[in-house]
Amino acid sequence: MARTLRRHNSMKPGRRAAAARLGAALATATVEGVGPARHRFLWGLLASLSAVALSAYHPAIPQDARAEHWKPTPREPERSPDPRDPLGARKRGLPWRPGGKGELSHSAPPAVRLASNEGSQDGPAQPFDLPPGDLETALIGFSRQSGLQLLYSSELVAGQRTAGLQGDYTPEEALRLLLDHTGLQYRFAGPGAVTLQPAGTVGTGAAAAAGAARTPADSGKPVKLPEVVVKETRELPQPSQDPPAGYKADYSSTVTRSTMSIDETPTSIGVVTRDVIRDTFSRTQNDAFESVSGLSRSNTRLGRGEGINIRGFEACTFTGAFNGMKVNGLPTDCVFAPDWAIVERYEIVKGPASIVGGAATPGGIVNRITKTPQRSNFTTVEANIGSYDFYRGMIDANGVMPNHENIRGRLVFAVEEGGNFIDFTPVRQYTVAPSVEFDLFKGAGKLLIIGTYQKFDGASYPGWPLTSDGNMLNVPRTSNFGGGADVGAHTNFTGYNGEVHYNHQFIHDIKLSAKGKYSKSDLTDNVVYSYTIGGIPPSGDSYLNNGLRRNRFDTYAGELFLSKEFDLLGQKNEILAGADYRDMTQNFLLGYTYLPVGGPFVIDNVFNPRNGIPVASDSFLTSVAGADRRSTLKQTGVFAQTVIRPFERLTLVLAGRHDNADSTNRETSTSAQSARTDSRLTGRAGATMKVTEWMNVYGGVQQSFAPQPLFITRNNEMLNAETGINYEVGAKFNLLNERLRITTALFRTYRRNVATPDPTDFRFSIAVGEQRHQGAELDVNGQPIPGLNLNAAFTYLDAVITEDNNPALVGSYPTRVPRNYVGRVFATYQLQSGPLQGFGFGGGVYFQGGYELSFPNGIKTDPYQRVDALLFYRGNKRYDLSVNIRNLLNQKYIESPGNLNSYNGFGAPIIAIASLRVFF
C-alpha cells in the first residue's frame, strides 16, 4: 500500500535495506612473529567476533542459498542527501526550512526513496564529462553535474557498467546515454528528481498498458515512463552515518547533535574525509590533521602519540588527556593513535565546544569516526610496502545478512610492520575492529555495537636536545642515541574499546539517542636518549638517560538525549535536552636514571654514539620513579539546545550546559592526595544568515570549561579548572554547483588558568594566568572541475600570554605552537579521457613558521616546508594502485617540538610507499 509523503524530513520508515555477514576466513588470521602476544590476540579476536559469527548464521537459510545472495555491490558508499529536503522541495517552491545547503544533495541516494508523482521536466544543454566504467560511479557524477537527484535501489546498478559520455547534452539526453544497454529505464518524478527501475516494469491500468507498449521487456534501451506510484519507502540515513564522498563533507551531526548542515552551523567545522586520508597516506592522526586549518602538532614523543594543538591550545598531549578527543561522540584518552584502517573520518569543532563535548579546551574538540556497517556487500583488501622496511596489510569486509535485511556487520583487520626511519625502533602492530548493526521495531530503532582491539610491540625514540645555542643538531635523522631496541628499549601498547549506540525515532518527530562505552589504554615505554640540561655543547658530549613511562587510562562514558523538530512561523525548528557522564582514571608512572645502572655514568657522544649499554629493567626504573600517581575525573553534565529559524534565511542557535566535576590526584609512593570539585555553567549563542544561495555568514560566542586533574604543581596541588571564551565571525561559500566549499573565520579566544610544563621540573605544571589567541583561518575543499580534488588550509595565529604571576612571561608566545602561520595545499587530478584515462597524479606543500620552545621566548625551531607527491591509477573498479612520496625534496626539520634539553623529533627523510587496493 502506498505511503504518504511529507515534505519535510519526517517520512516513516518502511523496511530497511541490508544486513551483515562477514567472511569466516578472517577469524583465522594471525600475525607471524608476535610471540607470546599471539595467543592473547587470538583469544581477543575470537571474543570480539563472536557476535558477528552468531549473526552470520541462521538455520532457516540453506547453505546453497548463501552464495546466491552474497553478491558484491559497487564500492562507492551510499550517500545521504540533505535529510531535511529529500525530494528537493525548495527547488520546487514548496515550504522549506532555512539554512544549510538549501539545495539537493548531489551524492548517490540510499537504496530506495519515495518519489512524488509530478510531470517530467528537462533542462537546457550543459557540459558533461563522465568517464566509462562503473555505472553507479557515473550516476554519482551525473547527479553532481546535472543537479538532479536520482532515486533507485542499489541492487539495480550493482556490477553494471556504462560507456560514459563527454559533451553538451540536456540532462535527459545524458541520462539516456548513460543507461544505454543497462536494462534500466527512468522516470521524472518531478523537477529535480528522477527514478530508475528495470526495463519492462509496469504499473496498473492505463499507465501499465502505456508502459508495456512503450517498454517491451526485451528492450535494453532506457525510455521515459509514465507516472507510477512507488509503494515502498525506506528511512533516510542520518548524515553522520554516511561517509562523505571526495574531499568535501556537508554534515557533522555526530558531534553537534543536530541535523544542521556545516553551512548552517554558526561555528567553524573541519572534516578530514576518508579520501583525504587515503590520498595523503596519513599513517598517524597528526598527518591527517594537516588538512584542516587551526590544527598543528604538539610533542608526540612516540611519533604515534596524540599531541594536538587546535588554534594554539593543546587539546591532547603525549601523556594522555581528559578533555580534547572523542571517538564516535564519546570521550577517550590521547595515549596512542589508532591504526588508520579503522577510521572513517575526523570531525573537528573549532572554538570552545563544552556544549557539545563537556569538558573541553578553548581550541575545540576532535571527534574520530570509526568504520561501521554499511548497507551493501563489499570487501577491500589493501597491501602497502615502502621505505625503511615498511609492510602493511588490511582487510575491510562488510556484509548484509541474506534474507534478513535488519542485520549488517563489518570487520576491519590490519597488520603493520616496520616503517620507522629511526634506527633500532621496530614496529609490529595489529588491529581488529568488528561492528554489528541491527534495525529494530520495524526500522524505528537502530542498535550499533562497536569493538576495537589494538596491539603494538616495538621501540621508540623520544627525540633530541638542541645545541646549547638553540639550534637543531647536525646529526643524521635516522640516528638513535643509546641503541634503542638493540640494548633492551621497548614500547608496548594494548588498547580495548567497546561501544553501544542506540537511536530511536518516535512519533511526532521525537528522537532518542543513547550511547555508552568502556575503553582501556595501557602503554609501557622504556627508552634511552639524550637529556642534556642547557643543550648539547659543541663537543657533542651527553649522558645516556634511560626513562620508563607507564600510562594506563580506563574510561567509562555515556550520553542520553531527546530531540524534537517542531513547526513555528512556517519554519522547521529543533530542540534537544540530555545528560552525559564520564568516569576516567589514569595511572601514570615516570622513572629515569643515567646509564649504566650502578655507575659510574658514561658520557657518550651524539655525533658518534657507541650504543652498547643495556637499559635498566622496568622493575628498577619503577623503584626509582619520581612520579607515580593515580588521577580521576568524574563528571556529570546536563545540556539543552534549541535551533530557531525565525524566517527563511536566518538560523539562531542557543545552548546551555551545567557540569559538575570531581577530580582527585594521589601520589602512590607518598599517599599524598589532592582533590577538588568544580561546577560551571557554560553557554553558546550563534546566528547564521543565508545571504545568497551559495553564501552563509555567521557569528557566535562560546564558553569552555575543563578540569585539570593531570596537572599537579610541585607542591602537589591540583590546578584550578581552565575556562575560556571565544568570539568568532566567518563566512561559508558553497560554489560551483555545491562542488567546492570555502570557509573563512576570524576568532579571538581567551583562556584562563592555563597549565604549562614547569620550566624547573618538566614533570610538574604551572598556571600562566591568561592567554589570548586570535587569528584568521581559510579552508578550501571539494572538486572544482571533474577529476580535480582540492584541499587547502591556512591559519594565521597571533597568540600571547597576557597575564602571569611572573612578569617576564607576559608577552611571550606559547611554546610548542607554530609561530604565526601554518597551512597546506594538496590536490589530485585524475585523467578523464584518452588512452591514460584513470591515471592520476597529485601533490602538495605543508608549511609552518617554526615552534617557540622556551619561556620567555628566545629559542625557536626553524620554519620549514615539506613537499609531497602522489601517482595513482583508478581506472578499474576492481583495483587501484598508488605511490605516495613524502618529503620529496628531503628537507630536514623538527616536526615534534620539545625543549632545549630534549624531546625534539625530526620529520622523516624522503620516503616512498606503494599501495594496492583490491575491491570485491
Side-chain angles (χ1 to χ4, degrees):
M1 182 173 181
R3 296 178 181 261
T4 302
L5 173 70
R6 294 178 59 185
R7 284 170 177 158
H8 297 293
N9 99 349
S10 26
M11 286 192 297
K12 296 181 181 179
R15 294 188 309 167
R16 306 290 301 272
R21 180 175 174 267
L22 302 174
L26 292 173
T28 61
T30 60
V31 180
E32 294 298 328
V34 171
R38 182 186 302 170
H39 298 292
R40 293 194 299 271
F41 162 68
L42 290 173
W43 281 112
L45 175 61
L46 291 173
S48 63
L49 291 179
S50 59
V52 181
L54 289 173
S55 68
Y57 172 76
H58 195 285
I61 305 175
Q63 285 297 116
D64 58 355
R66 295 192 177 192
E68 177 183 351
H69 291 286
W70 192 258
K71 297 179 180 179
T73 57
R75 69 179 185 264
E76 180 70 19
E78 297 171 353
R79 316 296 190 196
S80 173
D82 188 328
R84 301 164 301 163
D85 188 28
L87 299 182
R90 185 173 189 184
K91 287 189 173 182
R92 300 198 302 272
L94 301 177
W96 167 255
R97 63 183 185 186
K101 292 168 61 176
E103 303 282 347
L104 287 169
S105 169
H106 301 151
S107 301
V112 176
R113 297 184 185 162
L114 190 63
S116 60
N117 290 318
E118 300 188 12
S120 71
Q121 178 176 320
D122 198 9
Q126 63 185 76
F128 286 92
D129 188 1
L130 300 168
D134 178 55
L135 176 60
E136 185 164 23
T137 301
L139 290 174
I140 293 171
F142 170 81
S143 182
R144 289 173 179 161
Q145 295 177 30
S146 67
L148 294 176
Q149 184 180 24
L150 301 180
L151 315 176
Y152 59 88
S153 170
S154 59
E155 288 81 2
L156 287 178
V157 298
Q160 295 262 33
R161 297 185 66 82
T162 178
L165 75 156
Q166 287 83 30
D168 292 341
Y169 302 92
T170 68
E172 186 169 0
E173 290 171 341
L175 183 57
R176 182 181 297 113
L177 290 171
L178 280 180
L179 297 180
D180 197 16
H181 298 294
T182 64
L184 300 179
Q185 56 197 16
Y186 66 90
R187 177 180 66 86
F188 277 86
V194 181
T195 61
L196 305 182
Q197 54 195 98
T201 301
V202 296
T204 60
R214 295 171 57 184
T215 314
D218 59 350
S219 173
K221 303 288 186 179
V223 298
K224 184 177 174 181
L225 295 177
E227 294 180 357
V228 297
V229 178
V230 180
K231 299 191 176 185
E232 182 181 22
T233 67
R234 306 203 182 188
E235 184 183 42
L236 289 174
Q238 295 298 316
S240 62
Q241 297 165 349
D242 296 290
Y247 288 9
K248 176 178 176 283
D250 294 318
Y251 290 91
S252 179
S253 64
T254 301
V255 72
T256 60
R257 304 192 184 102
S258 172
T259 59
M260 291 186 297
S261 69
I262 290 177
D263 288 339
E264 190 181 7
T265 304
T267 190
S268 181
I269 295 177
V271 179
V272 186
T273 68
R274 184 69 190 171
D275 287 351
V276 173
I277 295 171
R278 175 201 63 193
D279 288 351
T280 59
F281 203 84
S282 298
R283 292 176 62 191
T284 68
Q285 294 190 142
N286 277 300
D287 290 343
F289 296 154
E290 292 179 354
S291 64
V292 178
S293 69
L295 273 70
S296 62
R297 285 174 172 81
S298 182
N299 183 265
T300 60
R301 293 284 183 95
L302 294 173
R304 294 174 183 261
E306 296 186 309
I308 304 166
N309 290 319
I310 307 177
R311 290 182 170 176
F313 299 111
E314 198 165 44
C316 282
T317 72
F318 68 88
T319 58
F322 288 90
N323 303 323
M325 177 72 72
K326 286 180 174 289
V327 175
N328 300 319
L330 292 168
T332 190
D333 54 69
C334 294
V335 174
F336 207 80
D339 190 291
W340 60 277
I342 71 171
V343 178
E344 187 61 60
R345 66 188 181 275
Y346 297 97
E347 300 175 347
I348 300 94
V349 178
K350 289 181 276 189
S354 287
I355 188 62
V356 297
T361 68
I365 282 180
V366 173
N367 187 34
R368 183 169 66 233
I369 308 296
T370 61
K371 292 178 178 178
T372 54
Q374 302 296 298
R375 296 179 178 274
S376 58
N377 302 318
F378 62 84
T379 298
T380 301
V381 179
E382 180 173 342
N384 316 105
I385 184 170
S387 305
Y388 302 102
D389 297 322
F390 174 66
Y391 302 96
R392 183 176 180 276
M394 186 272 291
I395 299 176
D396 179 3
N398 189 92
V400 298
M401 176 72 75
N403 299 329
H404 293 265
E405 294 184 343
N406 62 335
I407 307 173
R408 51 200 164 270
R410 191 169 188 172
L411 176 67
V412 180
F413 178 82
V415 59
E416 179 178 324
E417 184 161 344
N420 267 4
F421 66 92
I422 301 173
D423 296 336
F424 316 121
T425 55
V427 169
R428 180 166 291 148
Q429 175 175 269
Y430 52 93
T431 303
V432 59
S435 56
V436 186
E437 190 172 52
F438 305 87
D439 292 333
L440 306 175
F441 306 108
K442 298 182 179 180
K446 180 176 295 182
L447 175 65
L448 172 65
I449 302 172
I450 302 173
T452 306
Y453 175 80
Q454 180 180 2
K455 178 68 175 176
F456 177 96
D457 293 297
S460 60
Y461 187 67
W464 294 89
L466 300 179
T467 63
S468 55
D469 56 0
N471 293 316
M472 180 171 57
L473 272 177
N474 186 22
V475 296
R477 284 166 287 183
T478 58
S479 180
N480 186 326
F481 181 74
D486 280 10
V487 295
H490 59 90
T491 299
N492 309 100
F493 172 80
T494 304
Y496 303 89
N497 182 69
E499 303 173 23
V500 178
H501 298 249
Y502 182 72
N503 293 281
H504 196 97
Q505 174 80 51
F506 296 98
I507 60 174
H508 305 305
D509 292 326
I510 298 175
K511 300 176 184 178
L512 168 71
S513 176
K515 50 191 172 186
K517 67 165 288 184
Y518 168 72
S519 64
K520 183 184 79 170
S521 296
D522 196 348
L523 172 69
T524 299
D525 185 30
N526 186 324
V527 294
V528 56
Y529 57 101
S530 171
Y531 186 95
T532 305
I533 303 298
I536 297 293
S539 65
D541 290 340
S542 173
Y543 288 105
L544 286 168
N545 196 71
N546 183 199
L548 174 70
R549 179 163 55 109
R550 282 181 171 162
N551 195 5
R552 171 170 171 166
F553 256 98
D554 292 272
T555 300
Y556 299 87
E559 177 184 273
L560 173 71
F561 70 87
L562 285 168
S563 64
K564 176 176 172 55
E565 292 187 344
F566 61 96
D567 292 309
L568 181 65
L569 301 177
Q571 306 296 329
K572 276 289 184 180
N573 303 276
E574 305 171 32
I575 189 170
L576 68 84
D580 55 26
Y581 173 77
R582 60 174 169 164
D583 183 344
M584 303 180 74
T585 300
Q586 183 196 38
N587 291 278
F588 182 83
L589 178 143
L590 179 64
Y592 54 88
T593 184
Y594 289 111
L595 295 178
V597 175
F601 301 137
V602 169
I603 295 178
D604 206 342
N605 191 282
V606 297
F607 301 118
N608 187 26
R610 287 173 286 179
N611 293 346
I613 301 176
V615 301
S617 65
D618 291 0
S619 59
F620 175 82
L621 292 170
T622 300
S623 68
V624 298
D628 185 1
R629 65 173 183 264
R630 178 184 176 91
S631 303
T632 63
L633 172 64
K634 297 182 179 180
Q635 179 177 352
T636 303
V638 293
F639 53 86
Q641 175 175 285
T642 183
V643 179
I644 302 295
R645 300 176 174 95
F647 54 89
E648 184 180 357
R649 291 183 176 271
L650 179 64
T651 301
L652 303 177
V653 178
L654 300 172
R657 177 185 179 94
H658 184 270
D659 284 289
N660 191 82
D662 295 315
S663 306
T664 62
N665 193 290
R666 181 172 62 89
E667 286 291 336
T668 304
S669 58
T670 63
S671 297
Q673 180 167 313
S674 56
R676 65 177 293 115
T677 296
D678 295 289
S679 183
R680 185 76 60 170
L681 179 67
T682 55
R684 168 189 175 194
T688 300
M689 174 66 75
K690 193 173 187 67
V691 180
T692 70
E693 292 302 308
W694 47 267
M695 176 182 178
N696 289 292
V697 296
Y698 73 90
V701 57
Q702 308 94 24
Q703 295 175 305
S704 68
F705 159 74
Q708 304 189 83
L710 294 183
F711 299 102
I712 306 299
T713 68
R714 282 175 291 156
N715 298 325
N716 199 42
E717 295 178 351
M718 197 175 298
L719 297 183
N720 293 335
E722 176 186 291
T723 61
I725 188 168
N726 178 67
Y727 306 94
E728 182 172 340
V729 296
K732 301 175 184 180
F733 305 87
N734 221 341
L735 306 174
L736 302 177
N737 203 16
E738 298 187 348
R739 296 194 307 270
L740 185 74
R741 175 181 290 108
I742 300 175
T743 302
T744 61
L746 299 173
F747 62 90
R748 174 175 285 186
T749 308
Y750 294 93
R751 179 191 191 190
R752 296 177 176 87
N753 300 323
V754 182
T756 59
D758 189 331
T760 61
D761 192 333
F762 216 58
R763 298 171 300 166
F764 299 104
S765 301
I766 60 173
V768 298
E770 181 184 84
Q771 290 176 210
R772 185 210 67 210
H773 292 207
Q774 60 187 12
E777 295 172 341
L778 172 67
D779 289 272
V780 182
N781 292 285
Q783 190 177 66
I785 62 174
L788 176 64
N789 284 302
L790 175 63
N791 163 248
F794 177 79
T795 306
Y796 172 79
L797 181 65
D798 175 24
V800 65
I801 296 172
T802 55
E803 296 180 10
D804 194 80
N805 52 12
N806 181 357
L809 300 184
V810 175
S812 291
Y813 197 91
T815 59
R816 298 193 298 279
V817 175
R819 183 80 192 217
N820 296 137
Y821 67 88
V822 60
R824 185 176 75 173
V825 178
F826 186 89
T828 63
Y829 181 73
Q830 182 173 337
L831 299 175
Q832 302 294 292
S833 60
L836 297 180
Q837 179 181 344
F839 285 91
F841 57 91
V845 179
Y846 177 78
F847 52 91
Q848 59 119 298
Y851 299 98
E852 293 287 352
L853 300 182
S854 65
F855 283 137
N857 296 154
I859 299 175
K860 178 178 174 293
T861 66
D862 295 329
Y864 70 88
Q865 303 82 38
R866 190 194 71 237
V867 177
D868 302 328
L870 167 68
L871 297 172
F872 61 87
Y873 173 72
R874 294 176 187 148
N876 189 300
K877 71 175 184 177
R878 293 302 180 190
Y879 68 89
D880 66 43
L881 297 164
S882 61
V883 177
N884 289 81
I885 303 176
R886 186 178 175 90
N887 196 6
L888 181 65
L889 303 182
N890 203 26
Q891 293 292 310
K892 187 176 183 180
Y893 56 90
I894 290 177
E895 184 175 69
S896 174
N899 57 35
L900 178 66
N901 305 326
S902 194
Y903 310 129
N904 297 286
F906 289 121
I910 181 173
I911 60 173
I913 297 176
S915 303
L916 169 65
R917 300 173 187 89
V918 182
F919 308 97
F920 301 95

